[in-house]
Amino acid sequence: QVQLVESGGGLVQTGGSLRLSCAASGGTFSTYAMGWFRQAPGKERDFVAVISWSGGSTYYAGSVKGRFTISRDNAKNTVYLQMNSLRPEDTAVYYCAADHDGSSRRRDAKVMDYWGKGTLVTVSS
């Protein structure tokens, strides 16, 4: 069983930056692919980014590519999401998720094994 706890959300102005963190415990973090998803009010949970177990492969949703960067530190059991040039449409609850597959191929929320409780990001215009 893997427990995930997100942090780093908050209120930021358009064009600003935030770095989200997701700390893992209770499992072998370094074997899991890690993903970030987000859910805006009244909408489905959408894929944002994924990183393979080694950190050697990443993939981004088109809407965040070039603005967001996913990274991980296996020594600290933590995955990060650096978010730059934030826009009001980035406002959502951001969730991290763990996938036993380990690769960056899977980006469907339905296949993720473990989830955090989320952290709210609000971008004001």
Side-chain angles (χ1 to χ4, degrees):
Q1 190 81 5
V2 176
Q3 291 81 43
L4 302 173
V5 179
E6 301 95 336
S7 61
L11 175 65
V12 64
Q13 291 186 332
T14 297
S17 298
L18 282 175
R19 188 175 83 152
L20 306 183
S21 299
C22 173
S25 62
T28 311
F29 175 79
S30 61
T31 67
Y32 286 83
M34 297 298 297
W36 285 98
F37 294 76
R38 66 186 181 185
Q39 188 167 17
K43 297 189 176 181
E44 294 186 350
R45 191 169 298 189
D46 291 331
F47 167 77
V48 174
V50 65
I51 188 166
S52 63
W53 67 273
S54 67
S57 179
T58 59
Y59 190 84
Y60 297 90
S63 59
V64 307
K65 194 171 185 180
R67 300 189 297 125
F68 291 10
T69 302
I70 189 171
S71 62
R72 66 189 297 160
D73 185 338
N74 285 346
K76 296 182 177 179
N77 288 355
T78 303
V79 63
Y80 305 97
L81 186 69
Q82 177 66 43
M83 305 186 296
N84 298 329
S85 302
L86 283 161
R87 306 166 180 168
E89 54 264 40
D90 294 318
T91 294
V93 177
Y94 283 71
Y95 299 89
C96 71
D99 180 6
H100 74 275
D101 179 78
S103 76
S104 62
R105 297 172 298 180
R106 306 197 320 169
R107 300 139 199 173
D108 187 342
K110 297 181 180 66
V111 304
M112 297 294 142
D113 298 292
Y114 302 103
W115 290 90
K117 294 185 178 181
T119 185
L120 176 63
V121 172
T122 304
V123 185
S124 63
S125 58

